[in-house]
Amino acid sequence: MAKIITVTSGKGGVGKTTTTAAIGAALARTGDKVVVVDFDVGLRNLDLIMGAERRVVYDFVNVIQGDARLPQALIKDKRLDSLFLLPASQTRDKDALTEEGVDRVIDMLSQHFDWVICDSPAGIERGATLAMRHAEIAIVVTNPEVSSVRDSDRIVGILDSKTLKAERGETVDKRLLLTRYDHARAARGDMLKTEDVLDILSLPLLGIVPESPDVLRASNMGVPVSIHDPDSAPARAYRDAALRLKGENIAMEIPRQRGGLFSKLLRRAA
Amino acid sequence: MTLWKRLFPSTSAPQARERLQILLSHERQVLGGGDLLARLREDILAVVAKHVPCEQDNVKVRLERGTPMSILEIEVEVRGDVGLAASRAA
């Protein structure tokens, strides 16, 4: 049976889809069978971040409505044999996802994969609550910025009340992933520090992903950032986070950009 | 002043931290603990308001989770020293 992870945040634009793709690819690179599922019906983007946008034939809604079988809708990653994508529908609206439909699909997926990673839409509406419904682990993606922290706190409350685990009287294992972190600005006192956010939200820390141009570069290319440039700081941060999810004890650090001025110049020229 | 500011720039993160702590402690009271606290709060308000004048903001329901026991704290502020005798007469 698979471990089911939901990547969530409440606020939009903090890095949920980037995180889903990056953690999915990092886990698949360790040999595990991984499926990433896009719950953002009407505004799908995981396909684009994974570089699979031209290979979408059937989607999540087609499977729920019986117009396609699950294997027909799953897209195999071009780079990693054990990584699959279940895209959301772009043309339907959010009500096309039903509780029973989602239950059925997640159940089938969890029989065939080691990890099912659900990419939640922003907000706290139906799509978001359906995405977190089956979660055993929730990755709460947060930027060190007031509105993101506030929305994360709200999402934590919803994770504690509206998931299957909550209904059974259990709790979802919630982990904080701090993204777009700028160490220099935090050190200057112009950005919330990791400890500030941890204090306020009181969640265990899964990782710190530094602000980096590599994230945009990877998304431009349609490659999960964790495998695009494996030496880049965000790639290392996401790989460490993935290993922590697998239970490995990896020391927490904020990866910095490696290399000196010369390699930076080379990188820029490339 | 400009030189002073340049030498000792004031930082904004502590303000962000303080504002969030105040805001979230309030929001957790209102929304926290899932629907349970919100429902409790509404029900208590409805019952109290039947007998004495009481406003929504004056009912505070807090749940302190812990093991082996949790504490449910309910605080209702009633205006003035009023009410109790007067409303009984009414």
Side-chain angles (χ1 to χ4, degrees):
Chain A
M1 284 295 273
K3 267 250 190 277
I4 300 168
I5 301 180
T6 297
V7 179
T8 183
S9 70
K11 191 178 183 306
V14 297
K16 284 182 296 296
T17 302
T18 300
T19 296
T20 304
I23 298 261
L27 285 170
R29 236 182 56 152
T30 69
D32 289 357
K33 283 192 81 179
V34 181
V35 61
V36 289
V37 184
D38 193 346
F39 274 77
D40 206 345
V41 173
L43 286 171
R44 76 167 174 226
N45 273 320
L46 187 55
D47 55 333
L48 203 51
I49 298 299
M50 304 272 297
E53 70 275 11
R54 291 181 11 182
R55 297 162 61 212
V56 177
V57 182
Y58 294 111
D59 58 56
F60 200 169
V61 173
N62 293 140
V63 177
I64 285 182
Q65 299 186 339
D67 299 329
R69 288 179 305 107
L70 184 56
Q72 292 177 297
L74 286 175
I75 302 171
K76 189 174 172 206
D77 188 78
K78 282 178 291 193
R79 299 153 292 245
L80 295 164
D81 283 341
S82 61
L83 179 60
F84 289 78
L85 161 71
L86 180 58
S89 167
Q90 182 69 340
T91 51
R92 313 295 182 86
D93 63 69
K94 275 178 277 179
D95 297 332
L97 289 184
T98 59
E99 242 171 47
E100 310 77 61
V102 170
D103 291 355
R104 201 155 34 82
V105 171
I106 295 289
D107 190 51
M108 285 191 279
L109 289 174
S110 63
Q111 285 170 27
H112 291 99
F113 290 92
D114 299 314
W115 302 89
V116 177
I117 308 183
C118 306
D119 184 19
S120 171
I124 52 175
E125 319 275 305
R126 188 187 177 77
T129 48
L130 282 174
M132 67 172 67
R133 185 172 156 79
H134 292 265
E136 289 163 62
I137 302 174
I139 301 178
V140 181
V141 182
T142 307
N143 292 167
E145 176 271 324
V146 286
S147 56
S148 174
V149 175
R150 180 200 210 170
D151 290 0
S152 292
D153 193 69
R154 184 90 169 86
I155 278 293
V156 167
I158 296 171
L159 284 164
D160 286 338
S161 61
K162 293 200 174 158
T163 52
L164 286 176
K165 278 210 156 212
E167 282 171 22
R168 289 198 298 263
E170 301 164 26
T171 47
V172 176
D173 177 5
K174 299 170 290 289
R175 317 273 188 98
L176 178 76
L177 186 75
L178 200 55
T179 55
R180 307 201 68 166
Y181 190 75
D182 186 328
H183 183 70
R185 289 171 77 185
R188 276 204 306 274
D190 276 330
M191 182 182 267
L192 288 167
K193 289 190 171 67
T194 307
E195 306 85 70
D196 293 331
V197 182
L198 288 176
D199 257 12
I200 294 167
L201 292 177
S202 43
L203 294 177
L205 185 61
L206 178 66
I208 305 165
V209 182
E211 170 85 70
S212 160
D214 290 292
V215 175
L216 182 61
R217 224 174 271 142
S219 86
N220 286 341
M221 309 290 284
V223 183
V225 65
S226 54
I227 56 172
H228 177 247
D229 174 359
D231 274 338
S232 74
R236 284 181 285 139
Y238 276 119
R239 281 204 307 273
D240 284 355
L243 293 177
R244 288 184 196 112
L245 284 172
K246 293 188 73 166
E248 286 188 34
N249 195 3
I250 310 264
M252 192 64 70
E253 55 152 353
I254 311 164
R256 308 280 181 89
Q257 207 66 52
R258 270 184 196 148
L261 183 64
F262 187 64
S263 65
K264 264 190 195 161
L265 285 175
L266 268 183
R267 196 186 281 261
R268 198 154 292 171
Chain B
M1 191 62 192
T2 328
L3 180 67
W4 179 264
K5 269 193 178 167
R6 203 168 286 175
L7 284 175
F8 303 101
S10 66
T11 56
S12 57
Q15 286 224 40
R17 184 190 159 105
E18 199 186 319
R19 288 174 60 219
L20 274 170
Q21 275 169 333
I22 293 168
L23 175 73
L24 293 184
S25 77
H26 175 74
E27 285 188 343
R28 281 172 193 157
Q29 261 180 43
V30 179
L31 305 159
D35 295 344
L36 173 69
L37 290 191
R39 279 204 308 268
L40 264 176
R41 197 162 162 273
E42 269 170 39
D43 289 358
I44 291 164
L45 177 69
V47 171
V48 175
K50 247 198 260 177
H51 303 282
V52 287
C54 171
E55 276 153 33
Q56 190 164 8
D57 285 350
N58 295 340
V59 180
K60 294 191 176 99
V61 181
R62 255 185 304 267
L63 180 63
E64 234 172 80
R65 285 170 215 249
T67 39
M69 67 168 186
S70 300
I71 299 172
L72 181 65
E73 201 182 309
I74 299 166
E75 188 187 316
V76 183
E77 259 177 54
V78 181
R79 236 180 295 138
D81 106 87
V82 252
L84 294 173
S87 61
R88 198 175 298 159

